[in-house]
Amino acid sequence: MALSAAPPAGSVVVDGGSGSATTLGPPLETAVAMTYVASHTPMPSYLNAHDALEARRTLAAEAAASSAAGGAGHRRARKETEGPRAIVVGPTNAGKSTISKILLNYAVRGGWRPTFLDLDVGQGTLAPPGCLAATPVDAPLAADAAAPDAPLAFYFGSASPSDNLELFRYLVSRMAGILNRRSEAASEAAERQQQQQQQQQQQQQQREKASQDPSKSVAASGWVVNWPGWCDGEEALSLLSDVVDSLSIDTVLVVGSERLHAVLQERLGGKRVGGSGGNTRGGDEGDGPRISVANVPRSEGAVVRDADTRRAARSAKVKEYFYGPASARPGGPRQLRPAALRLRPGELELVRIGGAAFAGRPRAPATALPIGHGDATAAAAAASGAAAGASSSAAGGGGGSSAALRLERREAGPELVHSLLALSHAKSAEGALSEPVAGFLYVTAVDAHTGAVTVLAPCGGSLPGRVAVAGNIKVFLE
């Protein structure tokens, strides 16, 4: 096995397997920090997890093929033709994103096209930090791979789900709805393609190459979801349970925490996917597969990153979005050149979801409040949210049901400098809550006298929209 690429910003562990030889070419040969032979490796556990997911994909593909062969009268239920939906959870620095990529790459090499959902808003694998993003994967992902060109992305605007739980839940639900519709359309297209091939008696050609097999559709390939490192406390567990329901997750892989595995096994293990109630399919009364909760070991190569290292990594991701990946030659030029644009007040409409009161505000846990105060605070918050929701609905405020989803228009000020703005596909500010992101801007200066905003854009020319969502993500680009 030979490796030669630009040294990544983080660290990479190469697992060559028993009896293999690994050759590192420049510049990696000068970037090796340590070489050793491990007495234990987690790779067999990861391979076992892949085998279980692969079996589910095969069953889904067979069900789709059977449905296509039988015609409309024998059409299978949608859940039978959908592949596995796995979520990788665990504490910070457990190596969740790496395991997600390993599972995705195994599937891609088998001819599948799994969908990758990155919900780790503090990291930014598929889109800049602060985003929930998803994309189908049809080529293996490198450890330091650049983000794809056009993922489906929603801007949460913060590095932790705890800053606005209701907004996080809402955006996950929106993303699930869009992906489910895409998956259903892809499944129907694959079914039509199979029927045409069967009519033309080309069954042998279907087996010649896995990538040409229409039964290995996006729907049958399933999903792999990368979860943030926030998983301690009732709020985090409740959010995770809600997301498992919204995304119709049937496999939960817990990395590096036996305690979390035990908690989730009790909370989710054995419940059925397919219960009633909107997008929520979890429950004992459902007719779908039972949720499986499995414990997988943390890789020794997972590096513990402190808060400063994570902030630097977020800055590097934003810089990569505007300037392109780092050059293979140290100090070499990057591939992209962003354009500097000066936007007058009427050319950009700034909004914030959740209002300034929800912008990264630190909150005391209920256990730290005086006895009885937590219930009173919750009741007051609920009343305030209901009033804000009524006010927002009366004003056409994007459908927010509480203050946490309220749209607040903003004027450009000096506090906006060094902020990341998300350009929305929405035609007006009222739609910014429910529409995905078209692109990003980076604020370099604000004229206090005229209100003009100077930004970096990926390219020159007119912007794809005029509604920009502001959040808490601030980085300093050198």
Side-chain angles (χ1 to χ4, degrees):
M1 177 169 54
L3 299 176
S4 181
S11 67
V12 170
V13 174
V14 179
D15 192 318
S18 177
S20 66
T22 302
T23 302
L24 300 181
L28 283 179
E29 61 185 358
T30 60
V32 175
M34 180 183 298
T35 60
Y36 64 94
V37 177
S39 57
H40 300 284
T41 173
M43 292 305 295
S45 297
Y46 303 160
L47 185 58
N48 289 339
H50 161 70
D51 288 342
L53 299 178
E54 182 75 5
R56 291 284 310 281
R57 293 186 183 102
T58 301
L59 289 176
E62 291 173 351
S66 175
S67 178
H74 296 80
R75 183 163 295 173
R76 299 292 189 94
R78 196 182 84 180
K79 58 180 175 292
E80 296 183 23
T81 61
E82 288 182 343
R85 296 186 178 185
I87 187 169
V88 183
V89 304
T92 303
N93 299 317
K96 297 181 295 297
S97 59
T98 298
I99 294 175
S100 298
K101 290 179 181 179
I102 289 173
L103 296 176
L104 289 164
N105 288 347
Y106 276 142
V108 168
R109 290 189 175 99
W112 304 95
R113 294 189 65 216
T115 298
F116 182 26
L117 283 74
D118 184 24
L119 305 185
D120 189 351
V121 291
Q123 180 168 278
T125 300
L126 298 179
C131 288
L132 292 80
T135 187
V137 179
D138 52 15
L141 297 172
D144 57 334
D149 291 336
L152 171 67
F154 288 88
Y155 192 51
F156 177 68
S158 182
S160 173
S162 61
D163 288 342
N164 194 332
L165 297 174
E166 189 170 348
L167 176 59
F168 193 91
R169 285 186 175 94
Y170 177 82
L171 294 181
V172 169
S173 178
R174 281 286 300 159
M175 178 174 287
I178 293 175
L179 292 176
N180 282 331
R181 289 192 294 273
R182 289 184 179 181
S183 179
E184 186 173 2
S187 181
E188 292 175 353
E191 183 176 323
R192 289 194 298 269
Q193 184 179 356
Q194 274 196 320
Q195 289 173 344
Q196 292 172 359
Q197 288 186 345
Q198 288 169 354
Q199 291 171 0
Q200 297 170 1
Q201 308 239 331
Q202 295 178 344
Q203 297 177 359
Q204 183 176 356
Q205 189 176 12
Q206 294 177 26
R207 302 186 184 92
E208 289 179 355
K209 192 174 181 181
S211 60
Q212 293 178 348
D213 187 349
S215 67
K216 292 189 173 182
S217 64
V218 172
S221 299
W223 298 356
V224 175
V225 184
N226 182 38
W227 183 250
W230 186 57
C231 53
D232 287 332
E234 181 57 32
E235 278 190 329
L237 293 173
S238 176
L239 178 65
L240 175 57
S241 298
D242 291 343
V243 169
V244 166
D245 285 345
S246 293
L247 298 180
S248 302
I249 297 296
D250 52 52
T251 304
V252 181
L253 300 176
V254 184
V255 186
S257 176
E258 293 186 1
R259 176 183 175 276
L260 180 61
H261 171 257
V263 171
L264 294 180
Q265 180 66 47
E266 181 179 356
R267 196 173 189 125
L268 301 173
K271 293 188 176 180
R272 286 199 179 272
V273 176
S276 59
N279 279 342
T280 302
R281 303 200 317 175
D284 293 329
E285 74 282 359
D287 57 353
R290 293 190 180 275
I291 297 176
S292 172
V293 181
N295 192 24
V296 293
R298 174 183 181 272
S299 172
E300 289 187 6
V303 176
V304 177
R305 298 184 295 173
D306 57 20
D308 291 337
T309 303
R310 290 184 173 276
R311 278 192 291 269
R314 285 195 286 270
S315 296
K317 283 293 184 180
V318 174
K319 188 171 185 178
E320 181 181 281
Y321 176 81
F322 289 100
Y323 291 93
S327 172
R329 179 167 51 87
R334 292 181 180 248
Q335 301 174 356
L336 305 179
R337 294 183 179 274
L341 305 177
R342 182 178 172 85
L343 304 174
R344 295 187 296 272
E347 295 179 303
L348 198 65
E349 190 170 0
L350 291 173
V351 297
R352 185 174 206 137
I353 301 174
F358 290 85
R361 180 185 65 185
R363 296 175 298 165
T367 54
L369 299 175
I371 295 176
H373 185 75
D375 295 338
T377 301
S384 174
S391 173
S392 176
S393 298
S401 60
S402 73
L405 301 182
R406 183 179 58 206
L407 290 172
E408 180 185 85
R409 287 180 171 83
R410 296 191 58 186
E411 298 293 333
E415 74 282 354
L416 208 61
V417 177
H418 302 304
S419 293
L420 189 67
L421 303 180
L423 278 175
S424 174
H425 277 296
K427 301 300 182 183
S428 63
E430 287 72 20
L433 180 63
S434 57
E435 292 297 321
V437 170
F440 295 88
L441 303 174
Y442 177 73
V443 181
T444 58
V446 176
D447 191 323
H449 299 290
T450 65
V453 181
T454 303
V455 300
L456 285 182
C459 59
S462 59
L463 297 175
R466 61 187 299 271
V467 178
V469 181
N472 300 326
I473 301 296
K474 282 199 173 191
V475 297
F476 299 91
L477 301 183
E478 300 177 357

